[in-house]
Amino acid sequence: MLSNIVLDELDKELERRGLHFVRYADDVAIYVKDKRTGDRVLKRITRFLRRKLKLAVNEAKSVVARPWEAKFLGFCTTRFMGTTRTVIHGTSQKRFCKEVRRITARSRGRSVRQIIAELNDYLQGWKPYYQVGVSKTRGNALNAWILRRLRAYIWEQWKLPRTKVRNLKKLGLWHESAKSLGNTRKGPWRIVKHSHIKHVMPEQLFTQKLGCLRCVIHPYSLAERHE
């Protein structure tokens, strides 16, 4: 609220100069035709903020960049097949993946239900904000990645080959396949990509039986159609 009060004068100055811009609190994005104009506008607006409004400017975050490179509130603007779209910025997605890796780290020693509960808490805040910038293709890819990490987490918890064989048979895999997979030397991340593993640990296992995982980012993915 204070930013809106103080920077109201900046809005009027940008309008007076005929610039196209968008501002939220103290984050401002100004759109011009080329880099030369951008450098000039950045220099003049920075001077205006310092001299007229007596405000400090974060030079590390004040850059001239293409719309699809610059980050504004976690998003960037791009064009695809002639349509302008707002998409999640690469750094925002990397931060998301980093947090999911932390929650699903195989060395944590917690139950799968606890891991799913933590994921749900994180996604409850993340999804409503970023979903608008996540395409169906990217959302489904992130969903598949999260499910693969959960399968690898379970596989790591089973530890011993005989435990893996026994649990795979409980999940419905016939004896010979369970024996072959349970005694493999492949690591968790690699083995859970096997079609038999995905068959006995489907998405429904996590979304319905092991804690109602809400890892779905796009509203049209499978998990939300189960509800």
Side-chain angles (χ1 to χ4, degrees), residues 112-113 116 154 204-213:
V112 180
R113 291 183 181 274
I116 290 176
I154 291 176
Q204 293 90 332
L205 177 68
F206 302 98
T207 58
Q208 297 180 1
K209 298 180 180 180
L210 291 179
C212 298
L213 175 67

Side-chain angles (χ1 to χ4, degrees), residues 33-201:
K33 292 183 178 180
D34 52 62
K35 187 178 184 303
R36 184 178 179 182
T37 305
D39 290 332
R40 184 176 68 251
V41 170
L42 175 60
K43 184 177 180 180
R44 292 179 178 177
I45 296 302
T46 299
R47 185 167 59 242
F48 172 82
L49 289 169
R50 287 174 175 167
R51 295 181 180 180
K52 185 69 180 293
L53 301 184
K54 309 299 181 183
L55 297 174
V57 177
N58 189 333
E59 295 185 0
K61 294 184 178 180
S62 301
V63 297
V64 178
R66 298 285 187 179
W68 52 89
E69 296 172 348
K71 183 175 72 170
F72 182 69
L73 302 178
F75 297 91
C76 63
T77 304
T78 186
R79 286 186 66 81
F80 180 72
M81 298 181 67
T83 303
T84 301
R85 299 183 180 184
T86 299
V87 300
I88 183 173
H89 194 272
T91 57
S92 299
Q93 181 170 319
K94 288 180 181 178
R95 187 164 58 249
F96 167 79
C97 292
K98 182 179 180 180
E99 181 62 16
V100 172
R101 286 192 184 96
R102 185 195 67 79
I103 295 173
T104 59
R106 295 193 290 274
S107 60
R108 297 193 67 196
R110 300 188 180 187
S111 70
V112 180
R113 291 183 181 274
Q114 289 176 312
I115 297 299
I116 290 176
E118 286 189 46
L119 277 173
N120 286 341
D121 287 342
Y122 176 62
L123 290 163
Q124 185 177 8
W126 191 92
K127 179 181 173 180
Y129 183 81
Y130 284 105
Q131 183 173 265
V132 67
V134 179
S135 66
K136 184 176 181 179
T137 300
R138 181 178 294 189
N140 287 336
L142 289 173
N143 292 338
W145 174 70
I146 292 174
L147 290 171
R148 187 178 176 184
R149 290 196 62 83
L150 289 173
R151 293 185 186 109
Y153 189 90
I154 291 176
W155 189 263
E156 183 71 18
Q157 282 194 326
W158 288 348
K159 294 183 179 180
L160 298 176
R162 64 173 178 269
T163 305
K164 295 173 182 176
V165 174
R166 183 175 65 250
N167 287 329
L168 287 172
K169 291 172 67 175
K170 285 182 179 179
L171 289 173
L173 197 62
W174 64 297
H175 178 74
E176 290 302 321
S177 294
K179 185 177 179 181
S180 175
L181 290 172
N183 288 280
T184 184
R185 293 186 177 182
K186 294 179 181 178
W189 184 247
R190 186 178 177 187
I191 192 62
V192 296
K193 195 177 180 180
H194 196 284
S195 59
H196 287 344
I197 301 295
K198 290 194 287 186
H199 177 71
V200 297
M201 295 186 196

Side-chain angles (χ1 to χ4, degrees), residues 11-27:
D11 294 343
K12 293 177 180 178
E13 177 66 17
L14 294 174
E15 291 174 353
R16 186 185 68 79
R17 298 186 183 206
L19 295 170
H20 298 283
F21 70 96
V22 58
R23 181 180 65 79
Y24 183 86
D26 61 344
D27 288 327

